[in-house]
């Protein structure tokens, strides 16, 4: 097929292959049964795009649309064009729609350039912000041969389930709810299951609003959900996120996760779609998820394993002082002082003065950089990883084969303890793991 074919020609081409009459065939794309005079080039099709050719089901209109889904007066609906052509203004208010149509003629090249009001972050292969295509499928069988009863008129219709009804055209499926999803418009389609999350706060800057940080006019931009709808360009948004991420100043919200507010300090402006932080790139987004997991563990009373190179989040009984990194490095430590587990009282950490210097408000040092600048840091890490402290006197002890029964080599101590449990050696230790 060629892009200059119309739908009628496609039907004639495939009718013999399907064993159907031309009049019985319907070509479906993005929730619509396409009109015969519609050209493929008008459908915004990319490479490897899928058109669904089916025998259209005939359903009474009253049965097709549930009583609570009746098309409201004034809701736009274009049965002969796909959603990619009819939903240019989904993210805009009614006044913004009028402004866009007034500022740019519908047939002008500038208007056509502004048509893609949907943006996605394509993780593969583009790895960048791209224009997005809105698609629809049956929410039950996931088939793309699905026709909607009305166009979605707001983001809730697209993002929330069971908002727009329709008809699944697949034989044997009578489901009537649409599922909307997005594809990257930049690279060839990888099938109907190829999808990505929308960046619904990223919009085309047809209003020519300046960025609140650099004051440049960029396109596209991110619009915060604050009452003032502050605008920031994507480059400044990345810098804003990176500075907060490096300072670990993201906000933890139990309903949203690890997120950020409007940089202008507006109330109720937290970004509730954390997929927007994918703009930072894969490596930094993974850092964000890691920090977010740590914040969650700490917020519910958990503790992080202090062993170098581990840091696993652990949820243990709040009254339990002896913590074991189960499923991780198996290090056993004291909840109170985060040192190797010990029986007696916690002793002041020798690095206490240094840590207090790091957290003072008078002079701030990045702890990660400080850790790299310690003269004997490598030796400390090696000792901590390869040894365990005596539970009584805390003398670092290295096990070099043999059984799990340890005897402290310190002359004044001589404590008998278990390498596995890091407690006093008992008959239970002897019976369960004397030799491993």
């Amino acid at each position: 097929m060629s892009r200059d074919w119309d739908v009628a020609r496609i039907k004639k081409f495939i009718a013999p292959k399907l064993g159907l009459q031309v009049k019985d065939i319907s070509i479906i794309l993005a929730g619509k049964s396409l009109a015969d005079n519609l050209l493929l080039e008008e459908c915004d099709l990319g490479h490897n795009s899928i058109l669904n050719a089916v025998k259209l089901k005939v359903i009474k209109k009253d049965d097709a649309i549930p009583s609570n889904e009746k098309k409201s007066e004034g809701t736009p609906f274009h049965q002969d064009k796909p959603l990619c052509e009819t939903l240019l203004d989904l993210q805009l208010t009614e006044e913004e729609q009028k402004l866009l149509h007034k500022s740019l003629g519908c047939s002008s090249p500038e208007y056509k350039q502004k048509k893609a009001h949907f943006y996605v972050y394509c993780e593969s292969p583009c790895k960048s912000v791209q224009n997005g295509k809105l698609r629809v499928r049956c929410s039950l069988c996931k088939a793309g041969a699905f026709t909607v009863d009305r166009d979605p008129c707001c983001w809730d219709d697209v993002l929330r389930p069971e908002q727009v009804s329709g008809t699944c055209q697949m034989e044997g499926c009578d489901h009537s709810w649409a599922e909307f999803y997005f594809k990257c418009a930049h690279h060839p389609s990888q099938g109907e299951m190829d999808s990505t999350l929308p960046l619904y706060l990223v919009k085309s800057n047809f209003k020519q609003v300046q960025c609140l940080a650099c004051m440049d006019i960029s396109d596209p931009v991110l619009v915060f959900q604050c009452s003032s709808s502050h605008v920031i360009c994507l480059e400044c948004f990345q810098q804003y996120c990176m500075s907060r991420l490096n300072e670990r100043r993201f906000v933890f919200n139990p309903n949203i996760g690890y997120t950020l507010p409007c940089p202008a300090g507006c109330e109720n402006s937290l970004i509730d779609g954390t997929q927007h932080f994918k703009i930072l790139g894969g490596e930094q987004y993974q850092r964000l998820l890691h920090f977010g997991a740590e914040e969650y563990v700490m917020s519910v009373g958990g503790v992080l394993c202090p062993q170098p190179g581990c840091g696993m989040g652990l949820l243990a009984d709040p009254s339990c002082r002896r913590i074991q990194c189960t499923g991780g490095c198996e290090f056993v430590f004291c909840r109170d002082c985060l040192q190797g587990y010990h029986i007696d009282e916690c002793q002041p950490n020798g690095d206490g003065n240094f840590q207090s210097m790091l957290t003072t408000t008078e002079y701030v040092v990045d702890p990660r950089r400080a850790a790299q600048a310690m003269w004997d840091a490598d030796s400390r890490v090696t000792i901590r990883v390869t040894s365990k402290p005596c539970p009584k006197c805390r003398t670092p002890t290295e096990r070099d084969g043999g059984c799990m029964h340890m005897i402290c080599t310190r002359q004044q101590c001589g404590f008998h303890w278990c390498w596995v449990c890091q407690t006093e050696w008992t008959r239970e230790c002897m019976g369960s793991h004397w030799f491993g």
Side-chain angles (χ1 to χ4, degrees), residues 240-255:
Y240 169 53
C241 294
M242 284 303 304
S243 65
R244 292 296 184 266
L245 185 61
N246 291 333
E247 297 167 359
R248 296 198 67 151
R249 291 175 60 189
F250 267 64
V251 178
F252 179 73
N253 181 284
N255 298 320

Side-chain angles (χ1 to χ4, degrees), residues 146-199:
F146 190 95
T147 53
V148 294
D149 294 324
R150 67 172 178 87
D151 286 356
C153 56
C154 61
W155 272 111
D156 279 349
D157 281 351
V158 172
L159 300 178
R160 296 174 58 189
E162 298 188 357
Q163 297 296 305
V164 176
S165 64
T167 304
C168 182
Q169 303 295 337
M170 299 299 293
E171 291 294 332
C173 183
D174 297 322
H175 197 62
S176 60
W177 289 112
E179 176 182 283
F180 294 96
Y181 65 104
F182 287 83
K183 286 188 173 186
C184 173
H186 185 68
H187 70 265
S189 173
Q190 300 173 3
E192 288 190 348
M193 300 309 294
D194 175 27
S195 64
T196 186
L197 292 175
L199 304 177

Side-chain angles (χ1 to χ4, degrees), residues 354-387:
F354 175 69
Q355 292 297 330
S356 65
M357 183 196 76
L358 296 182
T359 56
T360 180
T361 57
E362 297 179 2
Y363 188 76
V364 179
V365 177
D366 187 337
R368 293 171 303 162
R369 295 184 178 181
Q372 296 173 3
M374 291 190 293
W375 190 261
D376 57 351
D378 291 344
S379 299
R380 292 187 185 183
V381 171
T382 300
I383 292 173
R384 186 161 185 171
V385 170
T386 61
S387 67

Side-chain angles (χ1 to χ4, degrees), residues 311-331:
M312 175 171 281
L314 303 167
L315 299 177
D317 188 339
S319 62
C320 181
R321 192 167 67 91
R322 178 183 177 275
I323 308 293
Q324 183 170 7
C325 184
T326 306
C329 67
E330 302 298 331
F331 180 59

